[in-house]
mmCIF file of all heavy atoms in Angstrom:
data_model
loop_
_atom_site.group_PDB
_atom_site.id
_atom_site.type_symbol
_atom_site.label_atom_id
_atom_site.label_comp_id
_atom_site.label_asym_id
_atom_site.label_seq_id
_atom_site.Cartn_x
_atom_site.Cartn_y
_atom_site.Cartn_z
ATOM 1 N N LEU A 1 184.411 61.621 57.624
ATOM 2 C CA LEU A 1 183.392 62.593 58.180
ATOM 3 C C LEU A 1 182.709 61.899 59.378
ATOM 4 O O LEU A 1 182.389 60.724 59.330
ATOM 5 C CB LEU A 1 182.421 63.002 57.149
ATOM 6 C CG LEU A 1 182.944 63.580 55.839
ATOM 7 C CD1 LEU A 1 181.804 63.893 54.857
ATOM 8 C CD2 LEU A 1 183.795 64.842 56.081
ATOM 9 N N ARG A 2 182.450 62.666 60.370
ATOM 10 C CA ARG A 2 181.773 62.120 61.570
ATOM 11 C C ARG A 2 180.726 63.070 62.055
ATOM 12 O O ARG A 2 180.985 64.291 62.246
ATOM 13 C CB ARG A 2 182.751 61.849 62.698
ATOM 14 C CG ARG A 2 182.078 61.434 64.037
ATOM 15 C CD ARG A 2 183.122 61.017 65.092
ATOM 16 N NE ARG A 2 183.719 59.767 64.678
ATOM 17 C CZ ARG A 2 184.852 59.280 65.239
ATOM 18 N NH1 ARG A 2 185.422 59.924 66.216
ATOM 19 N NH2 ARG A 2 185.299 58.100 64.816
ATOM 20 N N TRP A 3 179.508 62.554 62.341
ATOM 21 C CA TRP A 3 178.488 63.316 62.995
ATOM 22 C C TRP A 3 178.194 62.622 64.338
ATOM 23 O O TRP A 3 177.754 61.497 64.343
ATOM 24 C CB TRP A 3 177.208 63.319 62.116
ATOM 25 C CG TRP A 3 176.050 64.124 62.787
ATOM 26 C CD1 TRP A 3 176.140 65.170 63.649
ATOM 27 C CD2 TRP A 3 174.664 63.877 62.540
ATOM 28 N NE1 TRP A 3 174.934 65.584 64.014
ATOM 29 C CE2 TRP A 3 173.964 64.803 63.335
ATOM 30 C CE3 TRP A 3 173.922 63.017 61.774
ATOM 31 C CZ2 TRP A 3 172.617 64.898 63.379
ATOM 32 C CZ3 TRP A 3 172.554 63.080 61.800
ATOM 33 C CH2 TRP A 3 171.881 64.014 62.614
ATOM 34 N N ASN A 4 178.498 63.373 65.418
ATOM 35 C CA ASN A 4 178.424 62.770 66.752
ATOM 36 C C ASN A 4 177.376 63.494 67.632
ATOM 37 O O ASN A 4 177.338 64.705 67.595
ATOM 38 C CB ASN A 4 179.795 62.851 67.450
ATOM 39 C CG ASN A 4 179.875 62.007 68.689
ATOM 40 O OD1 ASN A 4 179.687 60.819 68.628
ATOM 41 N ND2 ASN A 4 180.138 62.656 69.794
ATOM 42 N N ASN A 5 176.534 62.658 68.284
ATOM 43 C CA ASN A 5 175.533 63.242 69.136
ATOM 44 C C ASN A 5 175.492 62.533 70.493
ATOM 45 O O ASN A 5 175.646 61.327 70.570
ATOM 46 C CB ASN A 5 174.124 63.030 68.452
ATOM 47 C CG ASN A 5 174.008 63.622 67.102
ATOM 48 O OD1 ASN A 5 173.714 64.844 66.979
ATOM 49 N ND2 ASN A 5 174.278 62.855 66.054
ATOM 50 N N ILE A 6 175.355 63.325 71.581
ATOM 51 C CA ILE A 6 175.467 62.780 72.887
ATOM 52 C C ILE A 6 174.547 63.513 73.867
ATOM 53 O O ILE A 6 174.343 64.720 73.672
ATOM 54 C CB ILE A 6 176.947 62.927 73.388
ATOM 55 C CG1 ILE A 6 177.160 62.036 74.622
ATOM 56 C CG2 ILE A 6 177.376 64.344 73.621
ATOM 57 C CD1 ILE A 6 178.616 61.798 74.933
ATOM 58 N N GLY A 7 173.973 62.743 74.767
ATOM 59 C CA GLY A 7 173.070 63.338 75.773
ATOM 60 C C GLY A 7 173.205 62.640 77.056
ATOM 61 O O GLY A 7 173.363 61.406 77.153
ATOM 62 N N THR A 8 173.103 63.369 78.217
ATOM 63 C CA THR A 8 173.226 62.822 79.540
ATOM 64 C C THR A 8 172.117 63.364 80.408
ATOM 65 O O THR A 8 171.834 64.540 80.413
ATOM 66 C CB THR A 8 174.629 63.197 80.144
ATOM 67 O OG1 THR A 8 175.674 62.632 79.391
ATOM 68 C CG2 THR A 8 174.685 62.669 81.603
ATOM 69 N N VAL A 9 171.497 62.428 81.189
ATOM 70 C CA VAL A 9 170.475 62.811 82.169
ATOM 71 C C VAL A 9 170.975 62.261 83.511
ATOM 72 O O VAL A 9 171.620 61.226 83.635
ATOM 73 C CB VAL A 9 169.082 62.259 81.886
ATOM 74 C CG1 VAL A 9 168.571 62.921 80.638
ATOM 75 C CG2 VAL A 9 169.147 60.757 81.706
ATOM 76 N N ALA A 10 170.749 62.980 84.606
ATOM 77 C CA ALA A 10 171.137 62.534 85.976
ATOM 78 C C ALA A 10 170.166 63.136 86.956
ATOM 79 O O ALA A 10 169.466 64.109 86.718
ATOM 80 C CB ALA A 10 172.566 62.985 86.287
ATOM 81 N N GLN A 11 170.123 62.468 88.161
ATOM 82 C CA GLN A 11 169.167 62.833 89.191
ATOM 83 C C GLN A 11 169.377 64.255 89.734
ATOM 84 O O GLN A 11 168.454 64.904 90.122
ATOM 85 C CB GLN A 11 169.261 61.840 90.340
ATOM 86 C CG GLN A 11 168.529 60.515 90.025
ATOM 87 C CD GLN A 11 168.602 59.561 91.260
ATOM 88 O OE1 GLN A 11 169.690 59.259 91.754
ATOM 89 N NE2 GLN A 11 167.435 59.235 91.732
ATOM 90 N N ASP A 12 170.573 64.705 89.764
ATOM 91 C CA ASP A 12 170.855 65.992 90.402
ATOM 92 C C ASP A 12 170.340 67.180 89.627
ATOM 93 O O ASP A 12 170.064 68.246 90.166
ATOM 94 C CB ASP A 12 172.333 66.154 90.696
ATOM 95 C CG ASP A 12 173.206 66.219 89.416
ATOM 96 O OD1 ASP A 12 172.748 65.646 88.485
ATOM 97 O OD2 ASP A 12 174.253 66.826 89.444
ATOM 98 N N THR A 13 170.124 67.030 88.278
ATOM 99 C CA THR A 13 169.638 68.131 87.487
ATOM 100 C C THR A 13 168.260 67.831 86.875
ATOM 101 O O THR A 13 167.510 68.789 86.558
ATOM 102 C CB THR A 13 170.603 68.424 86.333
ATOM 103 O OG1 THR A 13 170.748 67.297 85.491
ATOM 104 C CG2 THR A 13 171.950 68.852 86.903
ATOM 105 N N GLU A 14 167.951 66.569 86.578
ATOM 106 C CA GLU A 14 166.762 66.145 85.892
ATOM 107 C C GLU A 14 166.537 66.888 84.590
ATOM 108 O O GLU A 14 165.449 67.245 84.181
ATOM 109 C CB GLU A 14 165.499 66.330 86.789
ATOM 110 C CG GLU A 14 165.568 65.500 88.070
ATOM 111 C CD GLU A 14 164.303 65.665 88.960
ATOM 112 O OE1 GLU A 14 163.490 66.563 88.625
ATOM 113 O OE2 GLU A 14 164.165 64.873 89.873
ATOM 114 N N ALA A 15 167.649 67.181 83.978
ATOM 115 C CA ALA A 15 167.630 67.873 82.655
ATOM 116 C C ALA A 15 168.523 67.045 81.655
ATOM 117 O O ALA A 15 169.306 66.157 82.100
ATOM 118 C CB ALA A 15 168.181 69.259 82.794
ATOM 119 N N LEU A 16 168.357 67.306 80.440
ATOM 120 C CA LEU A 16 169.192 66.693 79.386
ATOM 121 C C LEU A 16 170.327 67.607 79.024
ATOM 122 O O LEU A 16 170.156 68.699 78.509
ATOM 123 C CB LEU A 16 168.379 66.355 78.146
ATOM 124 C CG LEU A 16 169.112 65.840 76.973
ATOM 125 C CD1 LEU A 16 169.686 64.427 77.229
ATOM 126 C CD2 LEU A 16 168.205 65.738 75.707
ATOM 127 N N GLU A 17 171.574 67.167 79.287
ATOM 128 C CA GLU A 17 172.768 67.858 78.849
ATOM 129 C C GLU A 17 173.188 67.242 77.515
ATOM 130 O O GLU A 17 173.504 66.094 77.457
ATOM 131 C CB GLU A 17 173.885 67.748 79.868
ATOM 132 C CG GLU A 17 173.516 68.232 81.252
ATOM 133 C CD GLU A 17 174.488 67.812 82.357
ATOM 134 O OE1 GLU A 17 175.570 68.480 82.473
ATOM 135 O OE2 GLU A 17 174.197 66.847 83.078
ATOM 136 N N TRP A 18 173.217 68.033 76.469
ATOM 137 C CA TRP A 18 173.349 67.488 75.146
ATOM 138 C C TRP A 18 174.412 68.206 74.387
ATOM 139 O O TRP A 18 174.806 69.357 74.646
ATOM 140 C CB TRP A 18 172.027 67.530 74.347
ATOM 141 C CG TRP A 18 171.473 68.960 74.215
ATOM 142 C CD1 TRP A 18 170.606 69.559 75.022
ATOM 143 C CD2 TRP A 18 171.791 69.817 73.153
ATOM 144 N NE1 TRP A 18 170.311 70.839 74.543
ATOM 145 C CE2 TRP A 18 171.026 71.020 73.428
ATOM 146 C CE3 TRP A 18 172.552 69.776 71.979
ATOM 147 C CZ2 TRP A 18 171.072 72.178 72.560
ATOM 148 C CZ3 TRP A 18 172.600 70.891 71.153
ATOM 149 C CH2 TRP A 18 171.933 72.057 71.448
ATOM 150 N N GLY A 19 174.955 67.492 73.307
ATOM 151 C CA GLY A 19 175.906 68.118 72.460
ATOM 152 C C GLY A 19 175.911 67.449 71.152
ATOM 153 O O GLY A 19 175.571 66.231 71.003
ATOM 154 N N THR A 20 176.206 68.167 70.045
ATOM 155 C CA THR A 20 176.316 67.588 68.761
ATOM 156 C C THR A 20 177.478 68.236 68.037
ATOM 157 O O THR A 20 177.771 69.417 68.274
ATOM 158 C CB THR A 20 174.986 67.748 67.931
ATOM 159 O OG1 THR A 20 175.096 67.128 66.657
ATOM 160 C CG2 THR A 20 174.671 69.230 67.731
ATOM 161 N N ASN A 21 178.162 67.535 67.187
ATOM 162 C CA ASN A 21 179.239 68.151 66.426
ATOM 163 C C ASN A 21 179.432 67.379 65.135
ATOM 164 O O ASN A 21 179.106 66.152 64.992
ATOM 165 C CB ASN A 21 180.564 68.159 67.200
ATOM 166 C CG ASN A 21 181.122 66.779 67.516
ATOM 167 O OD1 ASN A 21 181.642 66.109 66.633
ATOM 168 N ND2 ASN A 21 181.006 66.361 68.768
ATOM 169 N N VAL A 22 179.897 68.073 64.119
ATOM 170 C CA VAL A 22 180.248 67.498 62.819
ATOM 171 C C VAL A 22 181.724 67.713 62.592
ATOM 172 O O VAL A 22 182.226 68.871 62.688
ATOM 173 C CB VAL A 22 179.427 68.132 61.725
ATOM 174 C CG1 VAL A 22 179.836 67.516 60.325
ATOM 175 C CG2 VAL A 22 177.916 67.903 61.919
ATOM 176 N N SER A 23 182.469 66.657 62.286
ATOM 177 C CA SER A 23 183.921 66.794 62.134
ATOM 178 C C SER A 23 184.315 66.131 60.815
ATOM 179 O O SER A 23 183.731 65.208 60.257
ATOM 180 C CB SER A 23 184.650 65.959 63.258
ATOM 181 O OG SER A 23 184.331 66.553 64.501
ATOM 182 N N ALA A 24 185.433 66.728 60.253
ATOM 183 C CA ALA A 24 186.142 66.216 59.089
ATOM 184 C C ALA A 24 187.551 65.962 59.512
ATOM 185 O O ALA A 24 188.257 66.830 59.986
ATOM 186 C CB ALA A 24 186.069 67.153 57.934
ATOM 187 N N TYR A 25 187.956 64.665 59.336
ATOM 188 C CA TYR A 25 189.312 64.243 59.677
ATOM 189 C C TYR A 25 190.096 63.996 58.344
ATOM 190 O O TYR A 25 189.605 63.293 57.507
ATOM 191 C CB TYR A 25 189.357 62.989 60.487
ATOM 192 C CG TYR A 25 188.675 63.085 61.857
ATOM 193 C CD1 TYR A 25 187.359 62.842 61.980
ATOM 194 C CD2 TYR A 25 189.419 63.487 62.961
ATOM 195 C CE1 TYR A 25 186.694 62.935 63.212
ATOM 196 C CE2 TYR A 25 188.747 63.616 64.242
ATOM 197 C CZ TYR A 25 187.426 63.297 64.309
ATOM 198 O OH TYR A 25 186.839 63.428 65.506
ATOM 199 N N GLN A 26 191.295 64.583 58.302
ATOM 200 C CA GLN A 26 192.110 64.408 57.048
ATOM 201 C C GLN A 26 193.473 63.865 57.413
ATOM 202 O O GLN A 26 194.190 64.468 58.193
ATOM 203 C CB GLN A 26 192.242 65.713 56.298
ATOM 204 C CG GLN A 26 193.061 65.608 55.037
ATOM 205 C CD GLN A 26 193.258 66.929 54.298
ATOM 206 O OE1 GLN A 26 192.836 67.978 54.832
ATOM 207 N NE2 GLN A 26 193.828 66.887 53.116
ATOM 208 N N SER A 27 193.803 62.725 56.854
ATOM 209 C CA SER A 27 195.179 62.178 57.019
ATOM 210 C C SER A 27 196.165 62.826 56.081
ATOM 211 O O SER A 27 195.883 62.966 54.899
ATOM 212 C CB SER A 27 195.116 60.631 56.738
ATOM 213 O OG SER A 27 196.424 60.136 56.736
ATOM 214 N N LEU A 28 197.324 63.236 56.696
ATOM 215 C CA LEU A 28 198.316 63.845 55.884
ATOM 216 C C LEU A 28 199.519 62.905 55.718
ATOM 217 O O LEU A 28 200.595 63.288 55.142
ATOM 218 C CB LEU A 28 198.816 65.094 56.584
ATOM 219 C CG LEU A 28 197.736 66.161 56.884
ATOM 220 C CD1 LEU A 28 198.388 67.394 57.630
ATOM 221 C CD2 LEU A 28 197.102 66.603 55.588
ATOM 222 N N GLY A 29 199.373 61.656 56.197
ATOM 223 C CA GLY A 29 200.413 60.665 56.085
ATOM 224 C C GLY A 29 201.420 60.822 57.163
ATOM 225 O O GLY A 29 201.551 61.834 57.827
ATOM 226 N N ALA A 30 202.271 59.786 57.339
ATOM 227 C CA ALA A 30 203.380 59.759 58.323
ATOM 228 C C ALA A 30 202.939 60.228 59.668
ATOM 229 O O ALA A 30 203.569 61.034 60.330
ATOM 230 C CB ALA A 30 204.533 60.702 57.799
ATOM 231 N N ARG A 31 201.788 59.654 60.169
ATOM 232 C CA ARG A 31 201.282 59.991 61.481
ATOM 233 C C ARG A 31 201.038 61.471 61.694
ATOM 234 O O ARG A 31 201.394 62.047 62.731
ATOM 235 C CB ARG A 31 202.192 59.412 62.554
ATOM 236 C CG ARG A 31 202.180 57.847 62.605
ATOM 237 C CD ARG A 31 203.163 57.376 63.636
ATOM 238 N NE ARG A 31 203.098 55.889 63.681
ATOM 239 C CZ ARG A 31 203.991 55.137 64.227
ATOM 240 N NH1 ARG A 31 205.016 55.668 64.814
ATOM 241 N NH2 ARG A 31 203.847 53.821 64.272
ATOM 242 N N ARG A 32 200.483 62.068 60.683
ATOM 243 C CA ARG A 32 200.055 63.501 60.707
ATOM 244 C C ARG A 32 198.619 63.624 60.258
ATOM 245 O O ARG A 32 198.241 62.906 59.307
ATOM 246 C CB ARG A 32 200.985 64.331 59.863
ATOM 247 C CG ARG A 32 202.476 64.426 60.305
ATOM 248 C CD ARG A 32 203.262 65.253 59.334
ATOM 249 N NE ARG A 32 203.236 64.658 57.977
ATOM 250 C CZ ARG A 32 202.885 65.276 56.890
ATOM 251 N NH1 ARG A 32 202.490 66.535 56.987
ATOM 252 N NH2 ARG A 32 202.904 64.717 55.743
ATOM 253 N N ALA A 33 197.832 64.452 60.945
ATOM 254 C CA ALA A 33 196.479 64.600 60.520
ATOM 255 C C ALA A 33 195.945 65.925 61.000
ATOM 256 O O ALA A 33 196.515 66.539 61.940
ATOM 257 C CB ALA A 33 195.589 63.453 61.076
ATOM 258 N N VAL A 34 194.826 66.381 60.437
ATOM 259 C CA VAL A 34 194.158 67.628 60.839
ATOM 260 C C VAL A 34 192.674 67.310 60.955
ATOM 261 O O VAL A 34 192.131 66.460 60.212
ATOM 262 C CB VAL A 34 194.475 68.769 59.870
ATOM 263 C CG1 VAL A 34 193.937 68.385 58.469
ATOM 264 C CG2 VAL A 34 193.897 70.065 60.320
ATOM 265 N N SER A 35 191.973 68.012 61.891
ATOM 266 C CA SER A 35 190.537 67.823 62.090
ATOM 267 C C SER A 35 189.920 69.229 62.085
ATOM 268 O O SER A 35 190.484 70.199 62.544
ATOM 269 C CB SER A 35 190.218 67.044 63.312
ATOM 270 O OG SER A 35 190.488 67.843 64.476
#
């Protein structure tokens, strides 16, 4: 399980561009997986 949070600020906007997501990664073996 992964909870990822990210935010960016820059001079051209002077605003916070943000994102958050929660992911579940499941290995199916033999180089196969689903998220």
